[in-house]
Amino acid sequence: MAHRFPALTPEQKKELSEIAQRIVANGKGILAADESVGTMGNRLQRIKVENTEENRRQFREILFTVDSSVNKSIGGVILFHETLYQKDSQGNLFRNILKEKGIVVGIKLDQGSAPLAGTNKETTIQGLDGLSQRCAQYKKDGCDFGKWRAVLRIADQCPSSLAIQENANALARYASICQQNGLVPIVEPEVIPDGDHDLEHCQYVTEKVLAAVYKALNDHHVYLEGTLLKPNMVTAGHACTKKYTPEQVAMATVTALHRTVPAAVPGICFLSGGMSEEDATLNLNAINLCPLPKPWKLSFSYGRALQASALAAWAGKAANKKATQEAFMKRAVANSEAAKGKYVHTGSSSAASTQSLFTASYTY
Amino acid sequence: MPHSYPALSAEQKKELSDIALRIVAPGKGILAADESVGSMAKRLSQIGVENTEENRRLYRQVLFSADDRVKKCIGGVIFFHETLYQKDDNGVPFVRTIQDKGIVVGIKVDKGVVPLAGTDGETTTQGLDGLSERCAQYKKDGADFAKWRCVLKISERTPSALAILENANVLARYASICQQNGIVPIVEPEILPDGDHDLKRCQYVTEKVLAAVYKALSDHHVYLEGTLLKPNMVTPGHACPIKYSPEEIAMATVTALRRTVPPAVPGVTFLSGGQSEEEASLNLNAINRCPLPRPWALTFSYGRALQASALNAWRGQKDNAGAATEEFIKRAEVNGLAAQGKYEGSGEDGGAAAQSLYIANHAY
């Protein structure tokens, strides 16, 4: 074996590990507000609002100008490229508003999926070309973390070993490039909930996928203490007839993680997939109460599960700003409580919060 | 991906995980008394004793006749095949004596190293042929865990990718077969201390090796909760001019493990390599005082570092047996404390305890 060539200096490592820890400190989690233009289109269509740049700006403005106390629940916000350069109605850049609240700004870096020929409709993710230069620019423009979503699905012959290996490799290349540019990479290998498979099968697949991801990260000399993981919780497929409790979901999830995720990873921020706001919170809470050893922070990186009620309250009308902010703050606080295992279900939940947010074969 | 075919039933998993936890219960570690006939030859020649079956029996009797004081610090004993079927002077099988003390019996199952053609003196380990039948028999004969040692070395071009891959694979096959037979596999990927490399180099190589080992274990569907890891501590090469403190060794070791060993593994039982008895205890103690979070038990599986003083006190004389046994109990108790970070150090430097036990290019 050749002598090692350190990928990062001690100063670079320190910076990365401090950023990662700040994001998940004290029960904080992440608001995933990085919906692409197309995906925002889906969201806005549900509340019958036109998908214009101004409407997208207005909704994000309402979220980001919420009271500063949100910084007790939200440690980081992931932005889409367009949003990073947008301003509020007073001309203040969104990213500065967030930073002033002490929230770390992140940026979605992948450029969507591409098919893997010879597979059963499986995909890999694009975005590596020129990624280093893009990261350097984003760092200058105020970002401190990146996010890249790989997608795997459970079906006949899926995920195949090619899909697992290729997505793990792409994630590791992305992570390595991020770290070279001072960005903490959030590594997201999502096993989507489409299908009728049971909880055990999802656990098995999740373990195989995560083992491959961490082997790839090691092969690519990625500094684990300066990364975060954004996995799916282990759940049954959405068309599975058997129902499972939050405790069963929690046990399956934490078991899978503790068999694959090294303790050096500071935090695991779950995606919400198609879960309702309330289920996403209840499951996260159960995960934090699970009796297995949990050496990483177990928190959230939620998009829909933080914004559904807020979107419904807004309905595109500026007059609804206060109600929108309250709805968002309520979910933020609830999830932060859940990240500490302290969430107490109040019993009253709005229709929007329990409504399933599942969209078949979800892609951004 | 086809549906998973569970390798183990729930009952089999529980049995394996219970055994593993018993071995590494707080304050307990392993006595590696599994020296092959060839290795015993070296030990006995150092004290001027002939290497006969009877002398080997008499020597192991010295160790196994330790009184109940060892119950709280020894969780398992690894036997060599010959010893598993030997008895003490009263005709009581050694296996029974050990089991009666509540200590788990283990068996060395590998059959030594063989060269890997086309490499710079690297090896793999043999012993897979008929391993399942051998394990079934050993289980009937009282063994509940096994040990298999792979060897890697650091030099200009080693360990090579082939050596890492091949040894990780053979360890995973061995582990899988053990578990099928109700035996907890101790997985030992030893990186020898031969060479002049520094601490960082050993850490880097250890991380690469362990990442490969855990990927292989995942690929082979090994149940991690029913395994133990027996790695080298991260140390400089024996010919390295830089000296490091136990704290530096502890930090490098725990960092490497945190980056590679999933929390599901219940215990890490370090080998002592060429360390003196006192060094091995001080390092283990520092490891247990390391401020980094450590989700597995961190204890010992020592051969020479538990037996050097005892061997020296015995020198093949029946009259010395009692004193020799006392020396062993003393080291066992010290390491039991070190496994909890409670060892204050001997204060006395000298005698067999501090003498370096390093033998160049050690093969069992």
Side-chain angles (χ1 to χ4, degrees):
Chain A
M1 172 177 287
H3 281 293
R4 55 182 289 260
F5 307 98
L8 299 164
T9 63
E11 293 74 29
Q12 285 176 302
K13 286 181 173 179
K14 183 170 193 291
E15 185 195 16
L16 290 166
S17 103
E18 281 174 358
I19 292 168
Q21 285 173 35
R22 255 168 54 218
I23 295 170
V24 294
N26 304 318
K28 291 190 255 190
I30 298 172
L31 164 63
D34 62 321
E35 298 85 355
S36 62
V37 173
T39 300
M40 264 326 269
N42 296 344
R43 303 282 167 87
L44 296 177
Q45 192 212 13
R46 273 170 88 121
I47 54 167
K48 306 203 181 354
V49 171
E50 204 191 338
N51 186 19
T52 61
E53 189 182 339
E54 176 57 14
N55 281 340
R56 295 192 294 273
R57 191 201 66 74
Q58 275 186 25
F59 181 64
R60 269 75 179 257
E61 173 170 346
I62 294 176
L63 294 181
F64 302 159
T65 55
V66 78
D67 181 72
S68 299
S69 63
V70 76
N71 64 14
K72 295 200 194 60
S73 311
I74 301 291
V77 175
I78 320 178
L79 298 179
F80 180 63
H81 177 88
E82 170 189 83
T83 322
L84 185 65
Y85 301 102
Q86 286 179 327
K87 303 174 174 143
D88 72 2
S89 33
Q90 269 91 59
N92 302 310
L93 283 163
F94 283 156
R95 64 191 195 234
N96 291 338
I97 294 171
L98 291 168
K99 286 185 130 171
E100 270 151 37
K101 291 188 190 356
I103 295 173
V104 186
V105 173
I107 180 76
K108 182 224 282 298
L109 289 169
D110 68 80
Q111 306 212 298
S113 63
L116 283 172
T119 66
N120 180 10
K121 301 202 213 9
E122 295 178 292
T123 59
T124 180
I125 303 288
Q126 318 183 94
L128 291 177
D129 298 351
L131 181 59
S132 190
Q133 289 78 357
R134 294 174 59 219
C135 284
Q137 188 61 49
Y138 285 134
K139 180 79 174 177
K140 282 207 194 93
D141 293 341
C143 299
D144 283 311
F145 71 96
K147 178 218 137 190
W148 173 292
R149 176 178 177 254
V151 180
L152 294 132
R153 68 190 196 104
I154 297 179
D156 182 38
Q157 307 296 317
C158 302
S160 63
S161 12
L162 172 62
I164 293 177
Q165 183 194 307
E166 167 58 23
N167 280 283
N169 192 62
L171 276 166
R173 280 294 299 130
Y174 139 80
S176 166
I177 292 170
C178 274
Q179 292 193 329
Q180 290 299 300
N181 290 284
L183 294 179
V184 166
I186 296 192
V187 172
E188 181 178 355
E190 176 175 3
V191 176
I192 54 179
D194 298 49
D196 61 2
H197 52 273
D198 61 14
L199 187 72
E200 286 75 15
H201 194 74
C202 179
Q203 184 184 327
Y204 174 80
V205 170
T206 302
E207 288 177 16
K208 292 302 175 196
V209 167
L210 290 176
V213 166
Y214 282 96
K215 180 58 164 62
L217 291 177
N218 183 283
D219 289 342
H220 286 258
H221 315 301
V222 174
Y223 174 59
L224 292 187
E225 292 88 330
T227 65
L228 292 168
L229 178 68
K230 178 166 170 167
N232 49 287
M233 293 182 189
V234 172
T235 61
H238 209 264
C240 178
T241 47
K242 190 158 176 229
K243 294 300 159 211
Y244 298 88
T245 63
E247 290 67 35
Q248 287 173 308
V249 166
M251 183 58 80
T253 301
V254 180
T255 299
L257 297 171
H258 102 303
R259 288 175 180 170
T260 54
V261 183
V265 175
I268 297 178
C269 303
F270 295 98
L271 58 94
S272 47
M275 281 179 244
S276 68
E277 285 178 332
E278 193 60 14
D279 281 347
T281 305
L282 289 173
N283 286 340
L284 180 63
N285 194 53
I287 281 169
N288 276 281
L289 293 174
C290 180
L292 297 175
K294 307 180 288 296
W296 349 256
K297 291 283 195 330
L298 288 161
S299 185
F300 58 94
S301 174
Y302 291 166
R304 287 170 280 174
L306 272 170
Q307 300 177 68
S309 296
L311 263 168
W314 178 51
K317 302 186 172 61
N320 294 336
K321 173 173 166 175
K322 185 160 180 287
T324 306
Q325 290 186 332
E326 274 171 10
F328 167 59
M329 186 67 112
K330 185 167 152 195
R331 292 326 304 172
V333 169
N335 285 307
S336 171
E337 293 293 298
K340 298 183 257 201
K342 293 189 173 149
Y343 176 63
V344 177
H345 180 45
T346 53
S348 67
S349 30
S350 67
S353 92
T354 48
Q355 184 185 21
S356 170
L357 295 161
F358 177 71
T359 312
S361 215
Y362 187 74
T363 54
Y364 276 10
Chain B
M1 173 177 287
H3 283 292
S4 72
Y5 305 96
L8 299 163
S9 67
E11 293 74 29
Q12 285 175 301
K13 286 180 173 179
K14 182 169 195 310
E15 184 194 16
L16 291 166
S17 139
D18 284 348
I19 291 168
L21 289 170
R22 262 169 52 217
I23 296 170
V24 296
K28 296 193 196 180
I30 298 173
L31 163 63
D34 62 320
E35 298 85 355
S36 63
V37 173
S39 283
M40 274 317 285
K42 295 190 196 125
R43 304 282 166 89
L44 297 177
S45 85
Q46 279 200 329
I47 52 166
V49 172
E50 203 191 340
N51 187 23
T52 61
E53 190 183 338
E54 177 61 6
N55 281 341
R56 294 192 293 273
R57 188 192 71 79
L58 285 170
Y59 173 61
R60 267 65 181 261
Q61 181 172 250
V62 164
L63 299 175
F64 300 161
S65 57
D67 61 31
D68 284 356
R69 279 174 288 166
V70 294
K71 280 175 153 184
K72 63 179 180 332
C73 45
I74 300 291
V77 174
I78 320 179
F79 282 64
F80 179 62
H81 178 90
E82 172 191 78
T83 322
L84 197 68
Y85 302 101
Q86 286 180 328
K87 306 176 169 125
D88 68 14
D89 292 344
N90 301 318
V92 177
F94 285 150
V95 168
R96 183 130 61 82
T97 305
I98 293 299
Q99 286 175 335
D100 285 350
K101 292 198 212 307
I103 298 173
V104 187
V105 169
I107 177 74
K108 181 225 286 295
V109 298
D110 71 78
K111 294 192 173 180
V113 298
V114 290
L116 281 172
T119 67
D120 181 13
E122 294 180 290
T123 61
T124 179
T125 296
Q126 38 181 25
L128 291 178
D129 297 351
L131 181 59
S132 190
E133 291 75 18
R134 293 174 60 218
C135 282
Q137 188 60 50
Y138 285 137
K139 179 80 174 175
K140 283 204 192 91
D141 295 342
D144 282 313
F145 74 95
K147 178 218 130 186
W148 173 295
R149 177 176 177 257
C150 275
V151 182
L152 296 131
K153 62 177 186 137
I154 297 178
S155 71
E156 182 66 30
R157 297 196 191 292
T158 64
S160 65
L162 172 63
I164 293 178
L165 180 84
E166 166 59 23
N167 281 284
N169 192 61
V170 86
L171 276 166
R173 280 294 300 132
Y174 139 78
S176 166
I177 292 169
C178 279
Q179 292 195 329
Q180 291 300 299
N181 290 284
I183 290 194
V184 167
I186 296 191
V187 172
E188 181 178 353
E190 176 174 5
I191 299 165
L192 297 175
D194 299 49
D196 61 2
H197 53 274
D198 62 10
L199 187 70
K200 285 198 179 57
R201 179 81 196 277
C202 179
Q203 183 184 329
Y204 174 79
V205 170
T206 302
E207 289 177 16
K208 292 301 173 196
V209 167
L210 290 177
V213 166
Y214 282 96
K215 180 60 165 60
L217 291 177
S218 169
D219 289 344
H220 286 259
H221 315 302
V222 174
Y223 175 60
L224 293 187
E225 293 89 325
T227 65
L228 293 169
L229 178 70
K230 178 166 171 167
N232 48 286
M233 293 182 189
V234 173
T235 63
H238 209 265
C240 178
I242 310 172
K243 294 301 161 212
Y244 298 86
S245 63
E247 290 67 35
E248 287 172 295
I249 284 171
M251 184 59 81
T253 302
V254 176
T255 300
L257 297 174
R258 276 168 51 79
R259 289 176 180 170
T260 53
V261 182
V265 175
V268 175
T269 61
F270 295 99
L271 57 94
S272 47
Q275 296 174 48
S276 69
E277 287 177 332
E278 189 63 9
E279 233 183 310
S281 301
L282 290 174
N283 286 338
L284 180 63
N285 193 55
I287 281 169
N288 278 282
R289 291 203 188 162
C290 179
L292 299 174
R294 303 163 258 119
W296 348 254
L298 289 163
T299 182
F300 57 93
S301 174
Y302 291 167
R304 287 170 280 172
L306 272 171
Q307 299 177 54
S309 294
L311 254 174
N312 220 32
W314 180 55
R315 307 202 79 86
Q317 307 297 321
K318 239 188 160 57
D319 293 340
N320 296 340
T325 307
E326 277 304 309
E327 291 294 332
F328 163 61
I329 296 174
K330 191 168 127 184
R331 286 328 297 174
E333 289 183 319
V334 159
N335 285 306
L337 289 173
Q340 301 171 84
K342 291 180 179 166
Y343 177 52
E344 299 302 327
S346 67
E348 9 137 328
D349 263 352
Q355 186 187 23
S356 170
L357 295 161
Y358 177 71
I359 301 169
N361 225 2
H362 182 80
Y364 275 8

